[in-house]
Amino acid sequence: MCGICGYWDSSKSLGAEELSTNVRKMSNSLIHRGPDDEGIWVDEEVGIALGNRRLSIIDLSSEGHQPMLSADGRYVIAYNGEIYNFRDLRKDLEKLGHHCRGHSDTEVMLASFCEWGVQESAKRFNGMFAFALWDRVERILHLGRDRIGEKPLYYGWQNGTFLFGSELKALKAKPGFRAETDRNALTLYLRYNYIPAPYSIYQNIHKLLPGHLLTISSSSSEPEPLSYWSARTLVESGLNHPFKGTDSDAISELDSLLRDSIKLRMISDVPLGAFLSGGVDSSTIVALMQAQSNQPVKTFTIGFHEDSYNEAQYAKTVAEHLGTDHTEFYLTPKETMDVIPRLPSLYDEPFSDSSQIPTFLISQLARQRVKVALSGDGGDELFAGYSRHLWGNSSWKRLNWIPQFLRRRIASIMKRLSVGSVDSIYENLEFLLPESLKLSHPAEKIRKLSDVLDISEPAGQYRRLVSNWAYPKAVVAGAKEPSTIINDDQLWQDFPDVVQTMMYLDLVTYHPDDILVKLDRASMGVSLEAREPYLDHRVVEFAWRVPLSLKIREGQGKWLLRHVLYQYVPPDAIERPKTGFEVPIDKWLRNPLRDWAESLLDRACLKQQGYFNPNPIHQKWREHLDGKRNWQYQLWNILMFQSWLESEKQ
C-alpha cells in the first residue's frame, strides 16, 4: 500500500535536480500513505518524474522498493495497492521464463506487463490498485485503476505538464499548480455529498474511472480513458445467466467464494485485523476470517454513549461468540469532534458523508495494534442492503396507486411535522411493526419517504433519495450541474426492474465515490491498509448472477449473506434494525458545534465568498435550530465545503 505521484513536463526544460525536487515535494505530501520508505525516479531526457511513498505490507525488504524497474529495464512503475493473486501469477510467469528477485507483488506486476501487456495484465489482477507505468521504449505513460475503484487516482494537464497522484494534495504540491474551484462540480457535491468521477473540485483535474486505463504520449494532450472491465457488462451478463442452483447451493457457493477472497486478503507480512460493527457485513467477514485462522482474529469496534448511534454491544456479542481478540473504545463527544478540523486535509476536496468521522476513529484505533484491517464494505450494494432496495417494484407500484394530488397532500403534511413529533408518533406505534420494518432514526427515514411521495416515476424517486440538496443550482451561484449516469433515464428501460437498476447505480456511483473514498482516506490517514473482501471481482460477478429472490425475502435484504453468516453466528446475535455508521451531528449542531457552524455560515461571509446563495442555507439552519426539521445532512454538506475553503487559504 502506497501513495504515488508524478508528472511529465513536455517542455523538457527541467534538469534532473529540479525534476527530483518537484516530485519529492509531491511525494512528501503523501507521507501518511507510506511512512516506511520513499522513492523517486526521473528521466531528464523526456522530462518525466515518478514518486512513491511506501507502506510496507508484503516483502518488507529493499526488494519491494519503488519506483521499480522491470527485469528487462523497459518499464518503471509507481504503484499503490495489493495484487492478492500475485503468487498464482508468479507461478504462471516463472513457467514462462520470468524470474523475481524478491517476493513482492510489484515485481509480479512488472513481469505481467512484460509478458501480457498492460490491458491483459489488468484483467488478470485480482486486487485493489492504482499504478503509473512508464514505458521507456515507447515513451508512453500508462495509468490504471482497479475494477471497483478501491484505490484513487487523480490526473490532469496544466501549462503543458501532465500531473497525477493518489490524492489532490500531491498535485497541489507541484510548484505552479493552479487550484481553480469548479463551480459546476460543486453542484454535484451538494447533491450527492461527494464529487463523482470523473470530476474533481478543481477545473481540468479528473479522477480516473474504476476499471479504466489511461495512456499518455507526448502527442496526446487530451487522452481518453479506456475501459478494461465494465460493471455494466458484468451486470448484464449476470442477469442473462442467472444462478440455477438451490438456496443451499447458493449459500455454499457464496461461502466458498468469500472464504477464498478473505484467505487472499489475509496474506500479510505485518499484523492484521478487522473492523467489526456487529452487523451482517462485518460479522460475516470476521466469522470467515476466524474460521481460517489458528489464533484469535484482532477485531475493533468504537462505541458512542448515545444509545441510538451505538452498535458496540452488538459487536461485542459477535466477538465473544467467535472468540476474537476484541478491542472496543467508547468515544466522548469531544474526542469525536476533535477530528473535524482534520477532515479538509484528509479528504483534499469537499466530502460530507458524516460517517467519515467514525471511520477515521476506528482506523486510528485499529492502527494501534495492526497495520492491515479487513472491512465489510460492499455487502449492501451487492446483496440489497439499503432501505431503498427493499421498496422494490411492488412498493413503487403500490405507491403510485395513490392519486398524485393525495400523495402531494400527504407529503406536505409529513414535511411539516417536527422531528420530535415524528419520533413521538413512531415510539407509540412501533410495537405494531414487525421487527424487519422497525426503524432507527425514524424521523430521517420518514423525511425521505415524504420527499419521494410526489414523484411518479422510479428514476426520479431514486434521484431524490440519493440527493442531499434536491436543487443545488439554486444554492450554488452561477453554476450548471453536469450530467451523470444517475440522470440517464434510458438506463431504467434497459434493466429488468427498479431494484436491480438502483443496485447497479449504487455500485458504480455511491460505492466508489463515497464509501470507498471515505475508507481510503480515513485508513490511509493513519497509515493503515484497509482491504475489502466483498469487492473481489469473483464475488461481485456471483452476486449479480444470484436472483433477487435470494437477496430480498420476506421484507428483508441480504437474505443470502445472512444465511452464510448463520452458519457461524446465531441469528439473534445479529438481527436488529439497520443503523448507519454515524455520529449525532444533528444534536451537535444545536449544541457543542453551534458556534463553529454559525461562524462558517455567516451570511456576510457567504455572500463575500460568492459560492453560495445564503437564503436557502439560512432557512434550513433556522429550522434545524428550532427543531422543526433535521437538516443535518444538508448543513453538514455546506459546512464541510466551508471548512475545505478555509483550509485552501492556509
Side-chain angles (χ1 to χ4, degrees):
M1 182 67 68
C2 305
I4 65 171
C5 60
Y7 65 98
W8 187 357
D9 185 347
S10 59
S11 72
K12 306 176 187 177
S13 61
L14 302 181
E17 184 176 350
E18 190 170 1
L19 285 168
S20 299
T21 298
N22 290 343
V23 79
R24 182 168 281 113
K25 289 179 180 177
M26 298 173 73
S27 176
N28 286 342
S29 73
L30 301 173
I31 192 170
H32 53 285
R33 297 186 73 93
D36 298 332
D37 189 22
E38 176 196 33
I40 61 171
W41 183 92
V42 302
D43 187 335
E44 180 181 5
E45 184 179 348
V46 293
I48 195 162
L50 305 180
N52 178 272
R53 293 293 323 192
R54 185 184 181 201
L55 182 66
S56 303
I57 302 295
I58 294 175
D59 191 348
L60 309 184
S61 73
S62 60
E63 297 295 345
H65 178 79
Q66 294 185 48
M68 184 183 291
L69 272 70
S70 60
D72 63 3
R74 175 174 178 174
Y75 294 111
V76 188
I77 192 172
Y79 147 66
N80 166 30
E82 301 288 353
I83 305 301
Y84 300 117
N85 63 334
F86 77 99
R87 290 175 175 171
D88 290 338
L89 291 173
R90 178 172 176 159
K91 290 177 183 177
D92 294 339
L93 289 162
E94 287 175 342
K95 292 176 183 177
L96 295 170
H98 294 270
H99 174 71
C100 294
R101 301 182 305 275
H103 65 275
S104 75
D105 55 346
T106 312
E107 271 195 281
V108 172
M109 291 180 76
L110 284 166
S112 298
F113 294 137
C114 292
E115 182 66 34
W116 298 307
V118 177
Q119 185 169 354
E120 179 58 31
S121 295
K123 293 178 181 178
R124 292 173 183 250
F125 296 154
N126 180 347
M128 56 178 182
F129 55 83
F131 64 78
L133 181 75
W134 173 245
D135 185 335
R136 301 173 72 190
V137 175
E138 298 291 337
R139 294 192 171 182
I140 291 174
L141 178 66
H142 300 278
L143 302 184
R145 193 175 178 203
D146 62 68
R147 293 171 176 85
I148 307 296
E150 295 179 61
K151 293 292 104 185
L153 192 55
Y154 292 86
Y155 69 92
W157 286 92
Q158 284 199 356
N159 296 328
T161 298
F162 182 81
L163 307 161
F164 67 87
S166 296
E167 298 180 18
L168 283 173
K169 57 174 61 70
L171 279 66
K172 289 174 63 179
K174 167 72 167 59
F177 180 82
R178 298 191 315 277
E180 299 176 350
T181 300
D182 187 338
R183 287 176 179 269
N184 295 338
L186 183 53
T187 65
L188 295 174
Y189 164 71
L190 287 198
R191 183 177 293 281
Y192 301 121
N193 288 331
Y194 57 84
I195 299 174
Y199 306 101
S200 86
I201 191 58
Y202 296 132
Q203 295 178 24
N204 303 315
I205 301 298
H206 313 287
K207 298 166 185 155
L208 186 60
L209 288 165
H212 279 68
L213 301 169
L214 186 70
T215 301
I216 304 98
S217 65
S218 57
S219 61
S220 59
S221 59
E222 290 296 334
E224 287 294 324
L226 171 70
S227 170
Y228 69 86
W229 183 88
S230 166
R232 175 72 179 263
T233 301
L234 175 145
V235 168
E236 290 175 343
S237 175
L239 296 176
N240 291 330
H241 303 90
F243 181 78
K244 298 291 188 181
T246 64
D247 290 1
S248 296
D249 293 336
I251 293 169
S252 177
E253 180 70 13
L254 180 57
D255 181 281
S256 177
L257 283 170
L258 284 176
R259 274 178 172 264
D260 192 59
S261 173
I262 289 166
K263 180 180 178 181
L264 289 176
R265 283 157 181 80
M266 291 174 71
I267 297 173
S268 173
D269 293 337
V270 296
L272 173 143
F275 301 144
L276 179 62
S277 71
V280 173
D281 301 340
S282 64
S283 297
T284 303
I285 298 300
V286 170
L288 291 170
M289 288 178 72
Q290 192 60 70
Q292 300 179 88
S293 176
N294 56 12
Q295 57 188 5
V297 171
K298 295 179 177 64
T299 54
F300 303 92
T301 298
I302 56 174
F304 299 97
H305 295 286
E306 294 87 353
D307 290 340
S308 61
Y309 290 87
N310 185 42
E311 293 188 301
Q313 68 269 32
Y314 306 116
K316 185 176 182 180
T317 298
V318 173
E320 289 175 346
H321 180 84
L322 294 173
T324 70
D325 177 3
H326 191 57
T327 300
E328 66 176 22
F329 182 70
Y330 274 76
L331 293 155
T332 65
K334 183 183 183 306
E335 288 168 320
T336 309
M337 288 183 286
D338 283 346
V339 176
I340 293 174
R342 301 185 60 175
L343 296 177
S345 63
L346 273 174
Y347 288 89
D348 272 347
E349 65 180 354
F351 182 84
S352 59
D353 180 337
S354 60
S355 60
Q356 64 199 130
I357 298 174
T359 304
F360 173 81
L361 290 165
I362 195 171
S363 297
Q364 192 175 60
L365 176 66
R367 187 62 180 88
Q368 296 173 15
R369 298 190 63 197
V370 301
K371 207 171 182 179
V372 178
L374 271 62
S375 164
D377 290 301
D380 286 318
E381 288 78 8
L382 295 177
F383 298 100
Y386 294 127
S387 56
R388 56 180 172 264
H389 300 155
L390 303 186
W391 282 28
N393 287 331
S394 59
S395 297
W396 299 111
K397 292 174 182 176
R398 284 198 299 270
L399 188 63
N400 287 331
W401 272 105
I402 305 173
Q404 185 83 1
F405 78 90
L406 184 55
R407 281 192 278 126
R408 286 177 179 165
R409 180 63 177 158
I410 295 170
S412 177
I413 294 171
M414 292 170 69
K415 288 177 180 178
R416 287 202 298 268
L417 291 172
S418 69
V419 173
S421 297
V422 173
D423 286 340
S424 177
I425 293 169
Y426 182 81
E427 287 172 7
N428 286 311
L429 298 178
E430 184 180 16
F431 73 96
L432 297 173
L433 296 173
E435 194 65 31
S436 63
L437 293 181
K438 290 183 178 180
L439 303 174
S440 62
H441 315 307
E444 181 57 31
K445 302 290 175 62
I446 291 172
R447 181 194 69 79
K448 287 185 177 182
L449 174 61
S450 70
D451 283 344
V452 301
L453 272 174
D454 57 350
I455 303 175
S456 58
E457 80 286 352
Q461 290 169 332
Y462 176 81
R463 281 194 286 268
R464 182 65 64 84
L465 283 171
V466 299
S467 292
N468 200 32
W469 288 82
Y471 305 103
K473 286 192 297 182
V475 185
V476 183
K480 180 181 179 182
E481 185 174 354
S483 180
T484 69
I485 188 175
I486 292 177
N487 301 113
D488 183 2
D489 288 331
Q490 181 59 44
L491 187 69
W492 296 83
Q493 308 301 320
D494 295 343
F495 281 77
D497 64 50
V498 170
V499 179
Q500 287 166 329
T501 310
M502 289 191 292
M503 291 176 63
Y504 169 71
L505 287 170
D506 288 339
L507 178 67
V508 299
T509 59
Y510 176 66
H511 192 57
D513 291 323
D514 184 311
I515 300 298
L516 294 180
V517 168
K518 175 178 61 182
L519 182 64
D520 175 81
R521 304 305 191 278
S523 59
M524 294 307 294
V526 295
S527 307
L528 175 76
E529 175 169 302
R531 298 177 175 178
E532 297 87 11
Y534 289 118
L535 301 188
D536 187 305
H537 67 277
R538 299 168 301 166
V539 176
V540 177
E541 290 164 1
F542 176 73
W544 275 99
R545 290 183 57 223
V546 171
L548 203 55
S549 61
L550 286 178
K551 297 174 183 175
I552 299 175
R553 190 173 291 187
E554 297 177 353
Q556 191 176 52
K558 296 191 282 197
W559 183 91
L560 179 58
L561 192 58
R562 291 173 191 276
H563 281 76
V564 170
L565 177 58
Y566 293 164
Q567 299 174 118
Y568 306 91
V569 178
D572 59 6
I574 297 295
E575 297 303 341
R576 63 184 188 276
K578 181 179 176 61
T579 60
F581 196 30
E582 300 177 350
V583 291
I585 295 293
D586 55 338
K587 299 176 183 176
W588 291 355
L589 288 176
R590 297 186 185 99
N591 293 293
L593 291 179
R594 179 169 177 169
D595 290 344
W596 167 79
E598 287 190 327
S599 68
L600 291 173
L601 298 178
D602 178 76
R603 183 181 290 272
C605 183
L606 290 174
K607 199 167 185 177
Q608 181 183 15
Q609 291 164 345
Y611 288 104
F612 295 135
N613 173 8
N615 293 333
I617 296 171
H618 273 262
Q619 180 182 348
K620 284 183 168 48
W621 179 234
R622 288 193 303 271
E623 291 178 355
H624 187 84
L625 291 179
D626 292 342
K628 293 179 179 178
R629 292 291 301 272
N630 179 4
W631 293 118
Q632 62 170 321
Y633 300 113
Q634 290 79 3
L635 293 169
W636 190 250
N637 191 246
I638 300 294
L639 290 166
M640 284 295 98
F641 175 80
Q642 292 297 101
S643 295
W644 173 83
L645 199 59
E646 287 289 314
S647 73
E648 287 287 278
K649 300 175 184 177
Q650 300 172 5

